[in-house]
Amino acid sequence: MPFALIDCNNFYVSCERVFQPKLNGKPVVVLSNNDGCIISRSNEAKALGVRMCAPWFKMEKLAKQNGIVAFSSNYTLYDDMSKRFMSILSTFAPRQEIYSIDESFLDLEVIEPHSLVAYGQKIRKTVLRSLGLPVCVGIADTKTLAKLANYCAKMELVGEDGVCDFGQLNDAERSALFASISVREVWGVGRRISEGLLAMRIKTIEDLRTANLKRIRSQFSIVLERTVQELNGISCIQMEEVAKPRQQIIVSRSFGTMITGLDDLSESIAYFTSRAAEKLRQDGSVAASISVYIYTNAFKEDAPQYTGSTIVQLNQPSDDTMELVDAAIKGLKEIYRSGFHYKKSGVVLMGLQSKGSIQATLFDDIDKQTKSDNMMRTLDAINQKMGKGSVTLAAAGLKHRWAMRNERQSPNYTTDWSELLIVE
DNA sequence: TCTGGGGTCCTAGGACCC
DNA sequence: TCTGGGGTCCTAGGACCC
């Protein structure tokens, strides 16, 4: 029962290139929030030795020498492109699991085994033609293998034109292929686990596939045991068509400049909490508690370091921005210490539950609750219509001295009429 | 000067109870 | 008073992912 994994090549870079085709064939990178480090690279940038997660300030010289074009990340654009991508894919299979912003599993059970490769090609061509994004397709009997087949397609190890179907390989071919790839490339095997595996002399994917299951279970966990099963074609990880409701909502940022005062920190916390509360209401959820944290810059080893964090319980689960901000500021005051240069702060909404499931009796003051709901609905409606952050709490401030840098951001081509691409 | 942000799941260990 | 085992629930931290 074959799964396909479709993954966009260098997704963020490819999104930028759709609107600036002259960048095709050129080295391009996209930077993280705050223009901190590199999170997406074109193949040409990879060929120049630009590493994933490399700090941008260390790469600027190389960039200048080689004409690397850098963009600040534009999540509004990427999210919109992602929605279009997922919508196209949904027409190719009865069941789809959206796995990340640029990856999706499809259930290809209904496709004849001998025509899977051609079907994969059709998916590729359709996405490229209608959206301009290059993708690779991996096809196999389990999700773990489909991820691996996708990797093989991307690296051009087997398959052709960006499609790899493991069903086309016989046992000997598969073993030889797996023996040539590091175990680190397996979905679910990260740095620590690969180190542990190495100590057991398990280096390649073939080593892991043929490893003793009981030993894997006892030395590691049931998770890795399932991975080994999946490498052997036994499907243990099912498709999840309906996204589970989120368990927590995090909003955090590094600051564009160091800040020291409680006022600036309070502004940032109020602002982040407002954003988190918006997401919470979009999900139709309420939070039972909120965690607040602040960091100094760990990279500045000679500067005094401090991290503070705390969790504030709400009187009752809430989705009201003002209540959440009050709680967050209370938490911040507990953990704030003067005399430090702060680099980052953040909030986490926790204990999320569906608003509908909260018993009416919990809302002891119905009147107050209705007022709050109306206020939040209005707030969200205005911000939706007029743009993010049009109406905010005074506590979130206007100066935003802590705001992140994003000096190289592209326009919101697809979501803002005033930023449409102009063809000259 | 300058080093991302947002998630999930599992496990171990402590608190508490019988 | 001490001793013991077993169960549940919660939380913190680790590991992983994109």
Side-chain angles (χ1 to χ4, degrees):
Chain A
M1 140 142 140
F3 296 94
L5 179 77
I6 298 94
D7 183 316
C8 290
N9 305 348
N10 317 326
F11 180 59
Y12 298 166
V13 163
S14 297
C15 287
E16 299 292 349
R17 277 178 165 170
V18 167
F19 300 93
Q20 295 198 39
K22 63 173 190 222
L23 295 178
N24 285 324
K26 300 225 171 84
V28 180
V29 299
V30 172
L31 308 177
S32 63
N33 275 333
N34 223 19
D35 294 349
C37 56
I38 290 164
I39 53 171
S40 182
R41 306 161 296 158
S42 72
N43 291 347
E44 298 77 11
K46 288 177 193 170
L48 287 170
V50 176
R51 305 280 296 271
M52 187 69 169
C53 296
W56 173 238
F57 76 93
K58 283 189 183 173
M59 304 301 299
E60 274 180 298
K61 199 173 155 205
L62 181 77
K64 223 168 225 170
Q65 285 165 357
N66 294 281
I68 299 176
V69 178
F71 289 93
S72 302
S73 36
N74 181 347
Y75 286 103
T76 309
L77 176 65
Y78 311 149
D79 281 336
D80 188 62
M81 292 294 279
S82 174
K83 285 202 188 83
R84 293 163 193 249
F85 170 58
M86 297 305 171
S87 156
I88 292 168
L89 291 185
S90 71
T91 64
F92 280 95
R95 301 200 304 141
Q96 172 184 29
E97 173 184 341
I98 296 171
Y99 177 65
S100 76
I101 192 164
D102 72 332
E103 282 176 69
S104 177
F105 288 101
L106 293 180
D107 177 353
L108 297 188
E109 198 170 12
V110 294
I111 310 298
E112 291 291 327
H114 64 84
S115 48
L116 281 169
V117 173
Y119 200 70
Q121 292 295 354
K122 194 174 156 195
I123 295 174
R124 273 196 86 219
K125 283 181 189 141
T126 307
V127 175
L128 188 62
R129 199 182 53 232
S130 36
L131 204 54
L133 292 176
V135 304
C136 282
V137 182
I139 302 168
D141 282 335
T142 67
K143 287 167 77 175
T144 303
L145 285 172
K147 288 275 286 185
L148 190 56
N150 188 284
Y151 169 81
C152 292
K154 199 162 277 182
M155 304 306 282
E156 302 181 357
L157 301 178
V158 280
E160 47 190 300
D161 285 343
V163 177
C164 170
D165 172 16
F166 278 169
Q168 306 294 313
L169 303 180
N170 64 36
D171 286 356
E173 288 166 337
R174 184 205 49 201
S175 291
L177 175 67
F178 285 11
S180 72
I181 309 173
S182 161
V183 76
R184 187 67 176 75
E185 302 302 334
V186 173
W187 188 32
V189 177
R191 188 175 53 85
R192 287 304 290 270
I193 290 179
S194 59
E195 280 170 14
L197 288 170
L198 194 63
M200 295 165 68
R201 297 208 186 149
I202 295 173
K203 295 179 195 157
T204 71
I205 297 182
E206 185 66 0
D207 293 338
L208 182 60
R209 185 183 74 80
T210 54
N212 180 295
L213 265 187
K214 281 196 183 127
R215 225 171 133 219
I216 293 292
R217 174 78 174 91
S218 66
Q219 297 279 312
F220 298 92
S221 71
I222 191 169
V223 184
L224 195 62
E225 184 188 10
R226 278 200 288 258
T227 299
V228 175
Q229 300 261 43
E230 287 240 321
L231 286 175
N232 280 289
I234 300 161
S235 183
C236 308
I237 309 174
Q238 306 311 315
M239 289 265 284
E240 286 173 27
E241 290 178 81
V242 185
K244 284 187 218 145
R246 275 188 286 201
Q247 313 280 306
Q248 55 182 25
I249 292 172
I250 303 177
V251 177
S252 76
R253 294 278 186 284
S254 296
F255 306 132
T257 55
M258 299 283 184
I259 63 179
T260 55
L262 184 58
D263 286 353
D264 281 331
L265 275 179
S266 298
E267 266 189 29
S268 74
I269 289 293
Y271 184 79
F272 298 158
T273 305
S274 305
R275 288 288 304 131
E278 273 172 37
K279 294 186 189 182
L280 186 68
R281 292 192 292 272
Q282 268 169 30
D283 285 6
S285 303
V286 287
S289 59
I290 179 166
S291 157
V292 183
Y293 56 88
I294 51 180
Y295 294 144
T296 50
N297 187 350
F299 286 96
K300 286 207 156 185
E301 284 167 18
D302 47 345
Q305 298 291 322
Y306 171 71
T307 61
S309 78
T310 185
I311 299 176
V312 181
Q313 302 289 333
L314 298 167
N315 293 331
Q316 54 184 243
S318 170
D319 65 356
D320 184 297
T321 296
M322 282 176 285
E323 280 176 33
L324 291 163
V325 168
D326 277 351
I329 298 294
K330 190 176 137 211
L332 174 65
K333 284 179 178 158
E334 269 174 38
I335 57 176
Y336 175 73
R337 305 283 179 274
S338 62
F340 292 97
H341 291 279
Y342 292 98
K343 179 62 185 161
K344 181 175 181 178
S345 73
V347 299
V348 188
L349 300 183
M350 297 182 303
L352 305 194
Q353 27 193 326
S354 159
K355 187 167 186 178
S357 73
I358 304 289
Q359 292 167 344
T361 53
L362 272 176
F363 297 123
D364 42 6
D365 188 340
I366 298 292
D367 210 36
K368 188 174 152 219
Q369 183 61 35
T370 311
K371 268 186 195 156
S372 157
D373 284 347
N374 287 340
M375 170 88 99
M376 291 304 124
R377 239 195 320 273
T378 308
L379 186 71
D380 290 339
I382 294 176
N383 282 331
Q384 166 123 53
K385 197 168 172 193
M386 310 295 287
K388 230 180 254 176
S390 294
V391 180
T392 59
L393 297 195
L398 293 169
K399 293 194 303 271
H400 293 191
R401 294 199 311 112
W402 41 271
M404 64 182 191
R405 278 190 307 275
N406 59 345
E407 293 158 1
R408 303 159 172 274
Q409 197 170 82
S410 54
N412 292 320
Y413 304 105
T414 61
T415 55
D416 193 330
W417 288 113
S418 66
E419 301 184 19
L420 278 180
L421 183 65
I422 296 169
V423 181
E424 294 167 4

